[in-house]
Amino acid sequence: MSKVFQATHVGKVRRNNEDSLIVIEPETFVVADGMGGASAGEVASSMLVDAVKNFLTNALAPWDETTLSEAIARANGDIWNLSRQNEDYRGMGTTATILYVDGDKAYFAHVGDSRLYLLRDGIIKQITEDHSYVESLVRRGELTEEEARVHPMKNVLTQAVGAMPEVQIDAASFPVRLNDVFLLCTDGLTNMVDDATIAHILQTSESPADALIDAALDGGGKDNVSVIVVGID
Ligand code: CA
């Protein structure tokens, strides 16, 4: 069983909220951060959550990380096709981070720079790797984490769902323990709030999703912010 908290906020600067999030039975959690001109970002992220929900609803149990990857691949085709057909949607795309918890095992699939974190024994760990240009420089040792945080190209993604006919998807599984806390979030949280503050909120707040949104707004609220918190009990 799990305790689930979720929240999304447009932030203090933007006019539209291009993030989408959804909780799907059983125990499946999705965040998506859309990008593209006009309303295209909103279209891409909402298509992502709808396509994932439709795919999983029709997928035979047991689901695993391959099932989640196939759901993202299906969404990639839907979004890519629409962007080819409609000039207004040309170039749109979205991040996708999916977590599925099944008893003592968790599965995830991921594209882009939204994140999945695990808080275990008081230590917060980022499970997903950002598919961003600056993160690729950090991995090659050409930038430090600190330099990456303020880099002018930090928003440039190396992978996005729907931006190309094929998408590279990270997926894996790992064991779950009692009292683990998972956080799925868009970069509107992680660009405004550091990991230590996020960990503190997850450990102390009675309503952690709202508290994380408040922290992102206090930190500047420059982007849309979305969070899903899942406590395993
Ligand atoms: Ca964002």
Side-chain angles (χ1 to χ4, degrees):
M1 284 300 292
S2 61
K3 252 195 218 100
V4 181
F5 306 86
Q6 56 177 311
T8 185
H9 197 286
V10 68
K12 290 177 161 176
V13 175
R14 304 208 171 190
R15 289 218 309 253
N16 301 329
N17 190 343
E18 299 186 324
D19 290 352
S20 293
L21 71 178
I22 193 169
V23 175
I24 302 167
E25 291 298 322
E27 306 279 320
T28 306
F29 313 95
V30 186
V31 298
D33 178 352
M35 63 212 70
S39 64
E42 283 162 272
V43 171
S45 72
S46 67
M47 280 182 79
L48 181 286
V49 297
D50 289 347
V52 166
K53 185 176 183 195
N54 284 336
F55 183 89
L56 292 178
T57 304
N58 294 302
L60 293 177
W63 300 350
D64 60 12
E65 67 268 37
T66 307
T67 322
L68 304 183
S69 293
E70 285 168 356
I72 292 179
R74 178 69 61 86
N76 189 77
D78 290 354
I79 297 165
W80 170 255
N81 287 336
L82 184 63
S83 76
R84 300 289 289 172
Q85 288 158 12
N86 187 326
E87 187 73 30
D88 293 343
Y89 298 149
R90 194 68 36 96
M92 71 177 170
T94 181
T95 70
T97 302
I98 310 179
L99 171 71
Y100 165 50
V101 180
D102 182 20
D104 57 3
K105 214 162 168 194
Y107 305 86
F108 75 89
H110 164 76
V111 175
D113 66 352
S114 300
R115 291 180 177 175
L116 171 63
Y117 284 93
L118 168 60
L119 179 81
R120 176 178 286 170
D121 302 329
I123 295 165
I124 193 162
K125 189 177 156 203
Q126 184 182 338
I127 303 282
T128 49
E129 249 172 34
D130 296 349
H131 296 149
S132 67
Y133 172 67
V134 294
E135 184 58 31
S136 68
L137 295 182
V138 170
R139 282 202 290 274
R140 291 211 302 263
E142 293 172 26
L143 272 188
T144 66
E145 291 283 356
E146 266 325 293
E147 289 165 338
R149 270 184 83 84
V150 295
H151 197 281
M153 288 178 76
K154 72 190 311 279
N155 291 325
V156 177
L157 297 186
T158 52
Q159 290 291 322
V161 182
M164 302 283 278
E166 300 288 331
V167 62
Q168 256 177 281
I169 302 162
D170 291 344
S173 65
F174 54 90
V176 173
R177 290 197 211 146
L178 203 62
N179 300 322
D180 278 353
V181 179
F182 293 102
L183 166 67
L184 294 92
C185 61
T186 57
D187 68 340
L189 177 71
T190 49
N191 287 336
M192 297 292 126
V193 186
D194 63 33
D195 287 4
T197 306
I198 291 171
H200 180 74
I201 290 169
L202 292 176
Q203 287 172 291
T204 56
S205 177
E206 302 259 300
S207 50
D210 294 334
L212 289 167
I213 299 279
D214 288 346
L217 296 176
D218 289 345
K222 290 186 183 150
D223 196 0
N224 310 143
V225 50
S226 300
V227 299
I228 303 178
V229 177
V230 184
I232 306 297
D233 59 9

